[in-house]
Each structure stands twice: as structure tokens, then as C-alpha cells.
């Protein structure tokens, strides 16, 4: 095993690298300047944490959020890594400790808030402590155009120069070319770093969409089926976050609201509680974002349609970072589409930017009305090909479609003949032949389209109009008070040159109860009590440290515990996220929950648990037992003590002479052949 995979296993407790990690780690270890773009939850932190352990000196990590920094430092310390942070949130004691570790040359990772860089002392400090790598997390914060812009990030470029063009590794999940260009310019002084653009798939996140139909009920049913899980519910308005949080609380969930209108302190409290508590739901606007690093968010619901396909992907990406199953549900309706369109039209951006924003919204709408695998459509937009995923609502149930050409033509005709001035309500009246006041006042009952759409009811026409908006055949026009106008895309259909399939399910379901998706089970039903018991133990331990639960173990580790039911420390060491330090600290405690006790194990042997040497040790011991009185059981009993056996297992002597040097001549004569054979086979 090479050094990096060994550290991956022993420090972090992971069996293998996630896609892209190894190449990035290798490049950083080779001293290259690196820009890595990986999806949220892809495992970016490891790409600078691991190299930090492989080199001399200190790796300085610049990260935008103090709370997250502190949690990352906690998590690293739990894994036995010397890490510390210098932020305004430090107590004097903590700062003192960091400086001491720096002075003693122990510290491997130093997290710093960007504000700190403004301080003149920073450069001097960094010069003094032998910084060998600058890791910039959330590197898109240098971009003035993004909503995460942090002015202090602009100082990093200069800092790098002052430190003699020190090696720099930057990480972000934001992939668009504009941001990438800006990162290059500001952090790398225009030189191009070795760039990694990793695949965007997050296969453990299931995707599903539902047209709104009693949306409050759709939400509460979804959440009720997932009681006790941590989740985020994104809403399009501040008010709605408060209303929905209240609604969820009244159904017995633990729920909070979050939006940018709250004062800093209340936001911080909400962020902290979410990060720390099990099973809390936060109803939030998109302001709830970067501050969340929680690996075990089990679901993300969009109670309203997101702004674009990019925002959608970023927001759902906050679910399931730990790799365990996570679920998403997006609710959308014609009103959402209108809202999003008018937000773009009414914005202050220049015309070409608005055009691009409409296109990004269209991509999302295409996803809502997709006829085959959602993920295929989604990743296709990001330039990735894939077969169907098996983990989206359309894969689990293919939608029924019907030829909607005729219905669409009727709707278009109603729009055109009424002068492209009206919304869905009035247009539907025209199609259904309802003589309302408005119809009469405008003489729309005299139109040839009047009453030609009676084969569908009002709800069904709404679904048809919504799908037409989804296919960008029609758009609301701000200048006409939101009246629907036809787009160029619709011409071929109107002229009879193209046909269009619409989804039957949404039409049929209009008025019927929304389909319910069974929540994914994290463990088998019979293992649920044990999972709860493990969670309780975890909370207890985390609380004692005043750290988030996942700092002890993420959900995924507990799920594996409940499923595999390890009996021994060896078994335990093979679980996800169990490195040497955590094995030692928590192994016995959790085994006690699982088995009501731990096997009696010699402390020397316990040190080897989970390592190859542990296995060898056991084999040596078995061989020794067999040969204790010689091959025929007739000689004077003889044995090596535990420490000697551990030494043999650890040093793996390859010859009789080498073995003799460890256990002595007499014992080598008795056990030598057997031991050497075992060592040769392992
Ligand atoms: P990002 O910063 O890219 O969003 P993180 O660095 O926070 O992602 O990692 C997300 C989660 O994945 C963390 O819980 C981390 O422990 C876990 N993780 C990272 N690398 C691996 C790996 N190789 N195997 C298993 N889990 C991993
Ligand atoms: Mg990160
Ligand atoms: Zn699919």
C-alpha cells in the first residue's frame, strides 16, 4: 500500500478514494498549483488534508466561515490530526494552544479566516511558521459576480506572492467558466494551475419532482414519512419559510426558519443547531447555503421551483454528503414559472445576461417535464453522458405520455386570438367555453377557439399550460402584466410541422392525490432499534464534547454498524470512517452498545486491530499454540509472549536469522518454519 492510501485508511477510515481525489492528492503532493472543481460532497477537504500530512511544514487553509472551520478542526483532531484555527471566534486559550503547537512544529493544518489576512501581522506569522501549502477552500468566493463574494479573498493573491509564490491549491464546487476564469486571475496571478474538473454525479441522491397540487400537504406527507431525519426545505420567500416551519412544528417535527432578513445572531443560532442536532428541519431561503457542511442531511425539498438548473443542483447537493442514501423532492407549478420568469425580466441585468438566465431556467423546466431519467437530463446539461440512473422518480416509474399536439395547438390559438394579453385563467375559460364577465366584455365568446377544449377540465388545462411553459412554448410577458405570449419554439407545432408529447400522469393526477414515494430505508426494519440506540450513544458523546454529532461518526458509520453488527475491534475497524484514533477512542463504547460488551483483548493486540499485522498476529498465535509442545506434542512447552508476537507481525522478518534476532534461537527453532511460512503468505 502506498503512503496516501495508508493514511486514507488509518487516519480517515476510508477504504478508497472518491472519484478524482487520488489524482488531485498526487498533484498537490507533487508540488503543483492546483484548481479542483468537484461537486458539493465530492470530498474536497480530503484533497488538502491528506497532502498536509504527507509534507513538512504547515498547510494553511483559508475558508470563509468560522463555524465550519471550527468543526473541521474538531473533526481532524478526532481523527488524530494536529490541526488548529485562528479566527475571531477563538478563546485566548485556544489561540495560545495553536501558537504553542506551531512553535513546537507539531501543527500540520492551520485554518485561517480571510479577515485575518487583512491584518499586517499575518504575513510575518506565516513566514515564521514554515508554511508550505496554501489551501483555498470555496475559492469561488473571489468572484465578485457570485453571491458568495468575500472581499478578503482578493488578498490571497498578494499574500501568495509575499510568501514567495508558495504552492496553492484551490477548491470549489462552482464550475461555470466565468468563475473559473476569475479564480485563475485572482488566485493564480493569471498562470494556469493544473485543473481538475470532476464528474458531477451524486448517485446517492434520489431525484423527484411533483407538480404542485395541495403543496402544503405534499410537503407534510413527504416529511412525515421521514420523521427524525435532518432536512432542508427551500422556499422562494422569507415569509414562506416562517409559515412552513410553523406548519411542520405543529405536526410534531422539530423545525426552524432561516432567511437573510433575520439578524446575524439568530441566523448563527439556526446554523449551529442544524449543524449539531439530529433530525432538525430548516425551512429556508437560498441564503441558507454555504454555512452548511453537515454530512448527514437526509433530504432537501424545494417547496418552490429553484431559480435555475445550477441553483437546483447546488441546493440538492447539500443532501447526503456522507454518501448514504438521501432524497430530494421539487414541487413546481405554473405560478413558480411565472415568478422566476418575471424575476429575470424585471432584474437589472443587461439583455444578454437575461437571455442566459432564461436559458438556465429553461434547462430546469426541461428537467421538471422530462420524460425519461431525470439524472440523465440533468447531467446531460452539465455535459456528462450517462445511462438511466435507477434512482429517480422517472426511473422507478416511467411516465405515460400522450400526443399533446392538438391540445397545444388549441391553447396557442386561444393565446394568439386573444392578442397575447391573458393568463392561464382567462385562456382556460375561453377554451372551456365559459361565458364569464371578462369573456363577454371582450367578445371572446365570438372567437372560433371559444369552447373547443371541453375534452379537458380546468385542472387539466392548467397542467397543459404548465407543461407548455416548461417546454418554453409560451412565456409570461412583464410588459403585458404577465400575459402569455408565444415563443419561436412554438411555431413548428402551430404550423403542423412538429408534434409534442405531454405527460399523461400529471394530467391524470391533476385533482387526484399526489403519488407518494416511499422513503428509502437506511437500515432493515429489524435493525432500526439498534440504529436508534447507536444514535443516542453518539449524541451523548458529542454533547459531552460540545461538538456536532458527525464529529463522532457520520450517519453512514452508524448505518454500517447497525447493518454489519461488528463483534470485534477488527470488524469495527473496517467500518466507514473508522480510523486508528477513532477505533481506539470509540470502538469499545459502540461495541458495548452493539453486543453488550467487548471481547477480552490484550492491549498489545488491540493496537493492531484493523491492520494487516492484526491478522498475522492471530495466525502466528494459532501456530504457536499448535507447536507449543513441539510438532509431536512431546517437548518442553514454550511460547513467545504477546509483545514478541506483535513485533514479529509488525516487522515481518524474512529469514530465519532475522527472526532469531527478534525471538531468540531456541524459539526460532521451534516456531521458525511455521512463522516464516505465515509471513510469506501474507
Ligand atoms: P466537499 O467539501 O467537496 O463538499 P467534504 O470534503 O465536506 O466535501 O466531504 C464530504 C463527506 O465525504 C465528508 O463527510 C467526508 O468525510 C466524506 N469523504 C471524503 N472523502 C471520502 C472517501 N474517500 N471515502 C468516503 N468518504 C469520504
Ligand atoms: Mg467543502
Ligand atoms: Zn433516473
Amino acid at each position: 500500500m502506498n503512503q496516501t492510501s495508508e493514511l486514507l485508511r488509518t487516519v480517515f477510515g476510508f477504504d478508497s478514494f472518491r472519484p478524482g481525489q487520488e489524482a488531485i492528492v498526487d498533484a498537490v503532493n507533487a508540488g503543483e498549483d492546483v484548481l479542483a472543481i468537484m461537486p458539493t460532497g465530492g470530498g474536497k477537504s480530503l484533497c488538502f488534508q491528506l497532502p498536509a500530512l504527507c509534507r513538512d511544514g504547515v498547510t494553511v487553509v483559508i475558508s470563509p466561515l468560522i463555524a465550519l472551520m471550527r468543526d473541521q478542526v474538531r473533526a481532524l483532531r478526532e481523527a488524530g490530526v494536529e490541526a488548529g484555527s485562528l479566527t475571531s471566534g477563538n478563546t485566548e486559550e485556544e489561540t495560545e494552544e495553536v501558537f504553542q503547537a506551531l512553535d513546537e512544529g507539531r501543527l500540520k493544518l492551520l485554518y485561517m479566516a480571510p479577515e485575518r489576512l487583512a491584518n499586517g501581522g499575518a504575513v510575518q506569522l506565516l513566514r515564521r511558521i514554515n508554511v508550505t501549502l496554501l489551501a483555498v477552500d470555496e475559492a469561488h468566493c473571489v468572484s465578485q459576480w457570485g453571491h458568495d463574494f468575500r472581499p478578503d479573498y482578493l488578498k490571497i493573491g498578494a499574500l501568495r506572492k509575499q510568501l514567495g509564490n508558495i504552492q496553492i491549491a484551490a477548491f470549489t464546487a462552482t464550475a461555470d467558466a466565468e468563475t473559473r476564469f476569475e479564480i485563475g486571475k485572482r488566485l493564480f496571478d493569471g498562470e494556469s494551475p493544473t485543473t481538475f474538473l470532476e464528474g458531477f454525479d451524486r448517485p446517492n441522491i434520489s431525484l423527484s419532482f411533483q407538480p404542485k397540487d395541495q403543496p402544503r400537504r405534499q410537503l407534510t406527507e413527504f416529511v412525515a414519512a421521514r420523521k427524525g431525519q435532518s432536512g432542508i426545505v427551500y422556499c422562494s420567500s422569507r415569509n414562506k419559510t416562517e409559515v412552513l416551519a410553523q406548519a411542520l412544528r405543529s405536526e410534531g417535527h422539530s423545525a426552524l426558519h432561516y432567511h437573510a432578513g433575520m439578524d446575524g445572531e439568530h441566523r448563527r443560532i439556526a446554523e449551529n443547531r442544524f449543524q449539531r442536532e439530529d433530525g432538525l428541519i430548516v425551512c429556508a431561503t437560498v441564503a441558507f447555503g454555504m454555512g452548511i457542511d453537515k454530512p448527514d442531511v437526509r433530504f432537501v425539498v424545494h417547496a418552490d421551483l429553484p431559480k435555475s438548473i445550477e441553483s437546483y443542483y447546488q441546493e440538492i447537493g447539500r443532501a447526503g454528503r456522507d454518501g448514504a442514501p438521501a432524497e430530494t423532492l421539487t414541487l413546481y407549478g405554473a405560478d413558480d414559472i411565472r415568478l422566476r420568469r418575471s424575476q429575470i425580466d424585471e432584474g437589472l441585468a443587461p439583455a444578454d445576461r437575461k437571455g442566459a438566465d432564461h436559458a438556465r431556467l429553461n434547462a430546469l423546466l426541461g428537467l421538471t417535464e422530462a420524460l425519461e431519467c431525470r439524472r440523465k437530463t440533468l447531467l446531460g446539461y452539465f455535459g456528462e453522458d450517462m445511462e438511466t440512473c435507477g434512482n429517480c422518480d422517472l426511473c422507478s416509474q416511467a411516465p405515460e405520455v400522450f400526443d399533446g399536439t392538438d391540445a397545444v395547438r388549441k391553447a396557442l390559438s386561444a393565446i394568439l386570438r386573444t392578442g397575447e394579453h391573458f393568463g392561464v385563467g382567462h385562456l382556460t375559460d375561453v377554451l372551456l367555453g365559459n361565458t364569464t364577465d371578462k369573456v363577454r366584455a371582450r367578445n371572446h365568446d365570438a372567437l372560433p377557439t371559444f369552447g373547443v377544449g371541453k375534452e379537458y377540465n380546468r385542472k387539466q388545462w392548467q397542467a397543459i399550460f404548465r407543461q407548455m411553459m416548461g417546454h418554453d412554448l409560451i412565456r409570461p410577458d412583464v410588459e403585458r402584466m404577465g400575459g402569455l405570449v408565444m415563443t419561436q419554439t412554438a411555431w413548428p407545432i402551430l404550423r403542423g410541422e412538429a408534434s409534442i408529447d405531454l405527460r399523461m400522469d400529471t394530467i391524470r393526477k391533476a385533482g387526484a392525490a399526489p403519488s407518494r414515494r416511499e422513503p428509502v430505508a437506511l437500515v432493515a426494519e429489524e435493525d432500526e432499534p439498534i440504529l436508534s440506540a447507536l444514535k443516542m450513544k453518539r449524541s451523548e458523546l458529542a454533547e459531552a464534547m460540545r461538538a456536532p454529532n458527525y464529529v463522532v461518526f457520520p450517519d453512514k458509520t452508524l448505518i454500517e454498524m447497525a447493518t454489519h453488527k461488528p463483534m470485534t475491534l477488527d470488524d469495527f475497524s473496517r467500518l466507514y470512517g473508522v480510523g486508528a484514533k477513532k477505533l481506539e477512542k470509540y470502538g469499545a463504547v459502540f461495541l458495548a452498545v452493539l453486543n453488550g460488551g467487548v471481547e477480552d483483548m490484550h492491549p498489545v493486540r488491540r493496537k493492531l486491530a484493523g491492520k494487516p499485522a492484526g491478522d498475522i498476529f492471530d495466525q502466528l498465535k494459532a501456530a504457536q499454540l499448535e507447536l507449543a509442545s513441539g510438532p509431536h506434542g512431546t517437548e518442553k512447552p514454550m511460547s513467545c509472549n504477546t509483545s514478541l508476537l506483535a513485533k514479529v507481525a509488525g516487522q515481518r522478518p524474512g529469514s530465519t536469522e532475522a527472526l532469531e534476532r527478534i525471538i531468540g534461537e531456541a524459539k526460532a527453532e521451534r516456531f521458525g518454519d511455521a512463522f516464516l511460512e505465515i509471513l510469506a503468505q501474507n
Side-chain angles (χ1 to χ4, degrees), residues 75-93:
L76 282 167
R77 290 215 183 130
E78 278 300 293
V81 175
E82 293 267 10
S85 66
L86 287 178
T87 73
S88 52
N90 278 25
T91 61
E92 237 169 78
E93 219 178 0

Side-chain angles (χ1 to χ4, degrees), residues 74 78 275-278 534-553 585-586 590:
R74 300 283 304 239
E78 278 300 293
Q275 198 81 1
R276 261 140 244 268
E277 284 176 32
D278 248 351
L534 292 167
K535 280 190 170 179
M536 263 166 63
K537 177 52 77 182
R538 176 177 67 174
S539 295
E540 187 187 300
L541 294 165
E543 236 157 76
M545 291 193 293
R546 314 190 58 200
N549 285 323
Y550 68 81
V551 166
V552 177
F553 283 127
K585 185 162 176 194
Y586 297 123
F590 282 94

Side-chain angles (χ1 to χ4, degrees), residues 48-61:
F48 54 82
Q49 291 170 345
L50 192 52
L53 304 182
C54 300
R55 62 175 61 211
D56 291 331
V58 180
T59 294
V60 166
V61 184

Side-chain angles (χ1 to χ4, degrees), residues 57-58 60 99 102-103 110 124-131:
V58 180
V60 166
F99 278 112
L102 282 172
D103 290 340
L110 176 64
Q124 273 174 340
L125 169 73
L126 296 186
R127 281 210 184 113
R128 183 164 64 81
I129 62 176
N130 183 25
V131 178

Side-chain angles (χ1 to χ4, degrees), residues 207 372-377 386-396:
L207 310 175
E372 56 167 4
C373 180
R374 305 262 187 214
R375 199 176 310 267
K376 191 175 155 83
T377 312
M386 71 168 297
E387 295 305 307
T388 51
C389 76
N391 194 19
C392 73
D393 53 348
L394 298 181
C395 276
S396 32

Side-chain angles (χ1 to χ4, degrees), residues 14 16-18 21 39-46 293 295 321 576:
F14 302 143
S16 55
F17 284 105
R18 292 242 180 101
Q21 282 180 329
T40 309
K44 289 184 281 294
S45 323
L46 190 97
D293 209 11
R321 291 189 190 207
Y576 174 93

